[in-house]
Amino acid sequence: MTERSRSSAADDALGDAPPPPPRALLSGLMWREIAYLLANFPLGVAAFVVVLVWLTLGIGLSITVVGLPLLATGLLACRQYGRLERARAAALLGVRVAEPSRLRPRERGFFPWLWTCLKDPVAWRHALFAFVRLPWVLLTFTVVLVLLVVGWPVLPWVARWLSNVDRAMVRALLSPSDELERRIAELESDRVTVTDTAAADLRRIERDLHDGAQARLVALAMGLGLAKEKLLEDPEAAAAMVDEAHGEVKLALQELRDLARGIHPAILTDRGLGPALSSLAGRCTVPVTTSVDLDERPAPAIEGIAYFTVSELLQNVSKHSAARQASVEVWRAADRLLILVSDDGRGGARLDGGSGMAGLAGRLGSVDGLFVLDSPVGGPTRVTAELPWRARTEPAAASRGR
């Protein structure tokens, strides 16, 4: 298996690159750094005074009704101050720091909002940024102002050193909480993916019922109604109409079975992943060998995702690969369920090629899984999928129809 890792937005931040070396006195970057250092003084003093007054009043009045809401409002203001400082650092210092995720209480109401604001680590770090910078902004403002008058030859090097300290402070105190914020962003994206997938599945089921079985049942009811009217007048015609209705009933039952198999196949529920994948392989237009090496069955949700992932991949093999043979391998490695689907077709598959690969990748990502496509032009194609292993908590042979 090839090594894989999930990239994060924080790794792409431009602020991770080291700043360029000091340039000539008249360079644009140097003057932007000087402007940043000089503007630190009024902004830093104002932020320090506001944070000091807010903290003193909020903590002092916390025993009253207005104390805690005052603290929460001040923390929201600190978040806005952090956004201003990030924008200023990006414009003048070239430091790109990712924006923290939005503050969202888990429940509606005043008290959930209040508690979420009071325990917001991002806002508290922004408040610390405003509080500890007062000595620094006084020092940098004084040094830069003096060097502008009497020490301009060394100003580029001093300005670079001072601005590098500011860069470090911005990255340390104004960046998101890496793991927590990254996980929140992933979960928000996964929630959207799951919601969209569920809505699409519901629309597909509704469409299949409306255009398939429902239409046949309506025609069946009309046919039986006509047969009932002709039963006494023309028994032979009525019998022919009943025979036709019987055929419609069989077709409607077959369509309902196919629809139920598409929702969750009975063989998967009754016998598990191995027999279900063997059944899938038997319906594929390309000869498929299957190998399932599992000591126990995973949780039903993981089992279902694995089944439909293989189903979609085998459909792509049948439609697009022009392969002579394919294989499906499923096994468990530690706390991961791994799936490998390969074929000897013409290759060239892409996630954006319209074959449903991007949808599969999104569905696997929504449950903390991975999807890796290796399909050079000319073949072969290898698709590796990983799912988190979760043990089955219900009986393995649950009876149907409960």
Side-chain angles (χ1 to χ4, degrees), residues 179-259:
E179 292 301 324
L180 177 61
E181 292 292 329
R182 187 180 305 169
R183 187 60 180 157
I184 290 174
E186 290 175 358
L187 291 175
E188 289 176 349
S189 176
D190 293 346
R191 182 182 61 181
V192 173
T193 300
V194 170
T195 302
D196 293 344
T197 300
D201 289 341
L202 287 175
R203 288 194 299 268
R204 177 183 59 81
I205 294 171
E206 181 182 6
R207 182 181 64 251
D208 291 345
L209 284 173
H210 183 271
D211 297 341
Q214 181 179 344
R216 290 193 181 277
L217 291 175
V218 170
L220 172 64
M222 294 177 62
L224 290 176
L226 293 174
K228 181 179 179 180
E229 293 178 358
K230 291 182 176 292
L231 185 60
L232 298 178
E233 300 176 0
D234 190 353
E236 294 182 358
M241 297 177 75
V242 170
D243 288 339
E244 183 179 355
H246 185 253
E248 289 291 329
V249 169
K250 291 182 177 179
L251 292 174
L253 287 174
Q254 183 61 43
E255 290 182 354
L256 288 173
R257 289 193 192 100
D258 293 340
L259 181 60

